[in-house]
Amino acid sequence: MQISPVPVPAPGAGAALRPLRWNDPFHWLALGWRDVRAAPGIALFFGGCFWAMAALMGWVLRSRPEYVMSLASGCLLLGPFLAMGLYDASRRLESGQRPELGRSITAWDTRIPSMGMLVLVLVVLELLWGRASMVVFAVFFNAGMPSTAGVLQAVFHPDHWQFLAVYLVVGGVFAGMAFAGMVVALPMILDRDTDALTACITSVRVVAAHPGVMLLWAALIALMVGASLWWMRGAGLLLAGPMLGCASWHAYRHAVCADSPAAPN
């Protein structure tokens, strides 16, 4: 992996960032695919976890949509821990070690304080998004909220295109905030055992320094996840989930200069 060096900033300036190019996101995906092939058992395990979560979300959305937000909160609690396992696998492959499923599953166990803070931030963002969604519903459905049984039909009815547009914009704002704060935060916590605030600030700096490249990366993630959810009721996540997880590790390694990371245990 060839990464162009960048001078390390003066103490107190934060982690040094590397310049990114437009083709880097595709390179990260290629490296992620390489790691999946190098550790197929680990990839299958975590991919199966992502698929199970998506299948459960889909079933709840179809049968009891009022519980979707609660279930989404649970997925937000679990998702970062699953992602940490994939980062650990890519980290070990990069350092020439052999990744192990047991160690990948427990890769977060020495990072609990920082992980807990990041998960709390995600949950708060989700709660704020839920409140904003309720406001949008209230504005456009002033005659009364649609019933639970008809909520999907009401939302996607052609006459409600303005509601859908506003709802997607509001959701996009919160999704962008979550992406900016988390895109390299989790890998950085694993790599350097840094605190959550420093990791989130570094993540936002990466997005601010390279908005075009990171927007492309976000679009590729959304495209792959969307296509995976559409194909065979989410079965595509068996491959796309671990591939994106491993690629995210390489996105962090390309975007942030090395700074004496802790060696894998």
Side-chain angles (χ1 to χ4, degrees):
M1 179 177 64
Q2 295 183 350
I3 304 175
S4 56
V6 170
V8 178
L17 307 183
R18 292 189 175 94
L20 298 178
R21 300 169 298 180
W22 283 100
N23 64 332
D24 281 340
F26 300 98
H27 184 49
W28 301 337
L29 289 175
L31 292 174
W33 172 239
R34 183 197 65 184
D35 290 350
V36 166
R37 289 186 300 166
I42 294 176
L44 182 61
F45 172 81
F46 287 104
C49 292
F50 292 133
W51 186 18
M53 291 166 61
L56 183 59
M57 286 279 290
W59 177 80
V60 171
L61 181 63
R62 292 189 298 272
S63 59
R64 302 297 296 271
E66 66 271 24
Y67 293 116
V68 167
M69 290 298 293
S70 298
L71 183 59
S73 298
C75 291
L76 283 177
L77 292 173
L78 182 60
F81 295 93
L82 296 176
M84 191 71 83
L86 292 167
Y87 303 152
D88 178 76
S90 289
R91 182 191 187 203
R92 292 180 184 278
L93 287 170
E94 186 181 282
S95 63
Q97 301 183 41
R98 180 180 179 181
E100 299 177 5
L101 179 59
R103 291 186 175 181
S104 294
I105 292 175
T106 60
W108 49 268
D109 62 353
T110 60
R111 310 289 195 265
I112 292 178
S114 297
M115 288 285 292
M117 184 59 67
L118 277 185
V119 168
L120 178 62
V121 171
L122 285 174
V123 171
V124 169
L125 281 176
E126 191 213 8
L127 292 174
L128 291 174
W129 176 80
R131 180 64 61 180
S133 298
M134 291 179 64
V135 172
V136 174
F137 265 100
V139 169
F140 284 90
F141 294 94
N142 51 16
M145 292 284 288
S147 64
T148 298
V151 65
L152 292 181
Q153 293 86 341
V155 167
F156 292 103
H157 193 280
D159 292 340
H160 298 155
W161 66 269
Q162 291 177 319
F163 158 79
L164 187 59
V166 173
Y167 189 83
L168 290 176
V169 168
V170 171
V173 169
F174 283 96
M177 292 171 61
F179 176 80
M182 302 293 167
V183 63
V184 302
L186 278 172
M188 185 173 180
I189 287 174
L190 175 66
D191 192 36
R192 308 186 185 202
D193 195 16
T194 187
D195 62 276
L197 179 60
T198 300
C200 285
I201 291 175
T202 301
S203 185
V204 172
R205 287 176 56 221
V206 169
V207 174
H210 311 287
V213 175
M214 299 312 292
L215 182 60
L216 173 60
W217 179 228
L220 289 174
I221 293 174
L223 180 62
M224 289 187 64
V225 171
S228 300
L229 291 172
W230 174 81
W231 185 67
M232 291 182 62
R233 296 193 176 185
L237 287 174
L238 285 168
L239 176 62
M243 182 176 172
L244 286 172
C246 294
S248 295
W249 166 261
H250 293 288
Y252 154 72
R253 291 286 288 118
H254 275 75
V256 182
C257 287
D259 186 25
S260 302
N265 296 324

